[in-house]
């Protein structure tokens, strides 16, 4: 834990800047991102500091393919895109760089499949809270989404 | 109507007939008794024998896992919560960590607490964990750590069920419907 300290400190210092940047993005994003629609955004989280999982549905309403390439949140130090899978009785999880969404297509991030992995809380969060997240796309679009913090028992 | 009656009759026969007809996978003849030497979430050394007297469900996982582990435990918790209180008191769920360097007793205690009073976290040193995973023929492996020092663990997705004497009974796979899992847990508790 001790060797993580510098990272945490830098993280804290950056947080203020990140928040202002996020506010700008939130304003810009609404107009920009009308071709993408996110529904049912939930962040499954437990007490403590174990990582959380982000689930949602995302529809590409435009007539061009777009790729989701990542996400970030001021509430977490790190957000990754992951896929869980099962082979021969083994549960696997690995990070992915991007996921393409064809024109008109709707993809689902759901339990035991694709999920956002939210690592190390920058602010305390508990069930019923909301977390601001920005989804990042290949065409530089950034889509702000509010995730509702829920218990995994509600999934 | 006749069909309903017939379905009812078949169900009665299935339930009444034998010990062998778990809806999930029967492991009575192929898996050894519940046994291990580990550390519980209070930091106390514990043995498999300490968990006799209740129906015991065992899952191997790690708390850094955000998706599969909490979802599996939450669904088990759901299944248990549907039972009446007396039945619930007859069940315990052991979450055996395959990631002891991050899963200290303190971390495990906070983690299992979120799923209900039936859940107990167990950890140990590498040799102790390996002894349990080898005994139940489950594998686990670590991914390489990323630049933040975070790593993932591939692990068994199965839930093992033991009776009150610690005898292996059935195994729940990812593909088994929740209704089958619930029925088997209920039956195992009722078996006395
Ligand atoms: Cu993940």
């Amino acid at each position: 834990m001790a060797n993580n300290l510098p990272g945490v400190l830098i993280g804290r210092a950056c947080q203020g800047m990140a928040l202002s940047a996020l506010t700008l993005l939130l304003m810009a994003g609404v107009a920009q991102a009308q071709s993408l629609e996110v529904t049912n955004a939930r962040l499954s989280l437990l007490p403590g500091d174990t990582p959380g999982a982000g689930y949602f549905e995302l529809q590409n309403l435009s007539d061009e393919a777009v790729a989701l390439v990542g996400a970030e949140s001021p509430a977490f130090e790190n957000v990754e895109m992951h896929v869980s899978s099962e082979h021969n009785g083994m549960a696997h999880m690995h990070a992915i760089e991007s996921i393409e969404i064809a024109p008109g297509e709707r993809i689902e991030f759901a339990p035991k499949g694709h999920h956002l992995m939210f690592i190390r809380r920058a602010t305390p969060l508990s069930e019923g809270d909301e977390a601001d997240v920005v989804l990042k796309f290949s065409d530089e679009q950034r889509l702000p989404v509010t995730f509702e913090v829920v218990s995994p028992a509600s999934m | 109507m006749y069909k309903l009656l017939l379905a009812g009759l078949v169900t009665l026969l299935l339930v009444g007939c034998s010990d062998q007809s778990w809806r999930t996978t029967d492991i009575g003849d192929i898996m050894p008794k519940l046994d291990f030497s580990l550390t519980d979430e209070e930091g106390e050394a514990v043995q498999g024998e300490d968990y006799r007297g209740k129906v015991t469900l065992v899952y191997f996982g790690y708390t850094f896992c955000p998706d599969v582990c909490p979802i599996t435990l939450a669904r088990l918790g759901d299944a248990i919560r549907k039972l009446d209180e007396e039945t619930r008191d007859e069940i315990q769920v052991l979450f055996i960590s395959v990631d002891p360097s991050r899963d200290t007793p303190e971390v495990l205690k906070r983690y299992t607490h979120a799923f209900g009073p039936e859940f107990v976290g167990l950890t140990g040193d590498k040799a102790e964990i390996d002894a349990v995973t080898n005994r139940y023929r489950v594998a686990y492996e670590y991914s390489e750590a990323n630049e933040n020092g975070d790593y993932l663990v591939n692990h068994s997705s199965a839930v093992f069920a033991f009776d009150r004497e610690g005898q292996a009974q059935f195994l729940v796979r990812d593909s088994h419907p929740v209704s089958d899992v619930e029925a088997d847990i209920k039956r195992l508790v009722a078996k006395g």
Side-chain angles (χ1 to χ4, degrees), chain A residues 23-42:
Chain A
T23 312
L24 281 174
L25 281 168
L26 284 169
M27 295 192 291
V30 178
Q32 251 175 29
Q34 271 167 0
S35 57
L36 293 162
E37 191 177 80
V38 169
T39 46
N40 206 13
R42 295 143 297 156

Side-chain angles (χ1 to χ4, degrees), chain A residues 55 84 86 89 91 112 120, chain B residues 67 146 148 150 154-155 157 174:
Chain A
Y55 305 118
S84 301
E86 212 236 10
K112 300 193 176 184
R120 276 184 285 274
Chain B
D67 179 46
N146 68 9
N148 301 320
D150 297 332
N154 294 332
H155 59 96
S157 55
D174 224 25

